[in-house]
Amino acid sequence: MKVSPSDTTIAARLAAVRATIAATCARVDRPPESVTLIAVSKTHPPAALLEAIACDQVNFGENRVEEAIDKIPVVMAQTSVPLTWHMIGHVQSRKAEAVVQQFSVIHSVDSLKIAERYSRFATEQGKMLTILLEVNVSGESSKDGFAAAHWENSESQKSLWSDIRRIIDLPGLQVGGLMTIAPIVETLEQVRPVFSAVRRLRDALAVDFPQANWSMLSMGMTDDYTIAIEEGATFVRIGRAIFGSRS
Ligand SMILES: *Cc1c(COP(=O)(O)O)cnc(C)c1O
């Protein structure tokens, strides 16, 4: 999707994104409320978030811990609206405690080790955190996430399934589903098989681990969110189409 020119307001861009989400849902016979829009506010100042909040935006995504722990309290001090903060970026172990303090949904759980850290701090802080498992189904080596390119092969499935079994049993965490970042592609349609593979993996996990909730699929960004919705996304994470390009 094309990013609107920089002279368009955040309100106008947000309205356009919401309209596109609704139109896409209508086209594939999904209720519009089955897709939650996360405004990805990384690199943007509190004033930009407050503009979006004034348009009833309550879900925000940040990907860098340092930036988020400075920004979140500033934004929260300037609004009485309850907001939901989504961590969408890779987190180093030593920053897990700060993430548990500030965020209520973590989309980027990419190892058993980081899940164990979150569990420990969530338990200490008396919190229940919703986590999504980030999966890499395209096999790109530059990507974070559980290696899941060959999950249908029983050998590679074994180690993935064993990590997931242990994560599901961790206290303080509630698995909600899967998250993925699509690879860079030449033509947009090339991301469709990636999103549908994530959905099929989710369906397989729901059969093998019925004790957990697998309803959430976090996939789709500015360039590819309509395809992600067509393939079953329940969270779309959108930055540039709302806030403009990042410097
Ligand atoms: C930055 C980011 C987004 C948003 O990307 P846009 O292309 O600006 O919509 C979504 N997900 C993750 C994990 C990101 O880091």
Side-chain angles (χ1 to χ4, degrees):
M1 185 197 159
K2 261 186 59 215
V3 177
S4 315
S6 53
D7 60 350
T8 309
T9 62
I10 288 172
R13 293 201 205 99
L14 193 49
V17 169
R18 286 174 175 157
T20 303
I21 291 172
T24 307
C25 285
R27 195 165 71 233
V28 293
D29 247 338
R30 293 184 56 186
E33 62 277 10
S34 66
V35 177
T36 298
L37 169 59
I38 300 174
V40 176
S41 45
K42 64 189 187 194
T43 78
H44 296 285
L49 284 78
L50 290 163
E51 275 186 69
I53 294 165
C55 306
D56 300 325
Q57 182 64 29
V58 295
N59 287 281
F60 289 91
E62 288 282 338
N63 76 331
R64 291 186 204 92
V65 181
E66 309 283 318
E67 182 188 343
I69 58 181
D70 287 344
K71 197 192 291 181
I72 292 174
V74 174
V75 173
M76 303 272 264
Q78 293 180 70
T79 179
S80 55
V81 178
L83 304 173
T84 302
W85 297 94
H86 301 255
M87 171 44 76
I88 61 174
H90 175 73
V91 174
Q92 293 166 293
S93 297
R94 64 191 167 84
K95 297 185 182 163
E97 184 169 20
V99 170
V100 173
Q101 272 158 7
Q102 299 285 358
F103 290 85
S104 45
V105 186
I106 303 173
H107 292 232
S108 45
V109 174
D110 53 9
S111 68
L112 172 59
K113 185 178 160 219
I114 195 78
E116 287 170 342
R117 299 278 292 175
Y118 287 136
S119 169
R120 184 182 129 198
F121 294 120
T123 310
E124 276 177 22
Q125 295 176 29
K127 280 192 166 180
M128 183 55 79
L129 277 181
T130 298
I131 61 162
L132 306 184
L133 307 179
E134 180 173 356
V135 292
N136 172 359
V137 295
S138 63
E140 267 196 322
S141 56
S142 60
K143 282 221 140 49
D144 295 317
F146 288 92
H150 308 291
W151 66 270
E152 277 159 308
N153 164 305
S154 65
E155 256 330 287
S156 16
Q157 190 175 100
K158 231 178 247 169
S159 82
L160 179 61
W161 258 230
S162 130
D163 282 352
I164 291 175
R165 182 169 299 116
R166 290 170 68 178
I167 291 173
I168 286 173
D169 287 339
L170 292 171
L173 306 182
Q174 210 149 33
V175 172
L178 301 180
M179 177 269 215
T180 205
I181 302 174
I184 312 255
V185 290
E186 275 166 34
T187 61
L188 210 44
E189 272 301 314
Q190 289 172 292
V191 301
R192 189 181 296 281
V194 174
F195 293 146
S196 65
V198 173
R199 190 191 57 219
R200 279 187 295 111
L201 171 56
R202 184 278 304 273
D203 293 345
L205 289 166
V207 171
D208 287 1
F209 301 100
Q211 69 273 39
N213 171 20
W214 296 100
S215 62
M216 302 171 189
L217 280 179
S218 171
M219 50 191 202
M221 317 193 338
T222 290
D223 291 325
D224 54 21
Y225 70 94
T226 57
I227 297 180
I229 291 169
E230 288 167 6
E231 296 302 326
T234 65
F235 284 119
V236 289
R237 311 177 307 264
I238 300 182
R240 287 169 299 137
I242 297 171
F243 296 109
S245 10
R246 291 177 289 271
S247 42

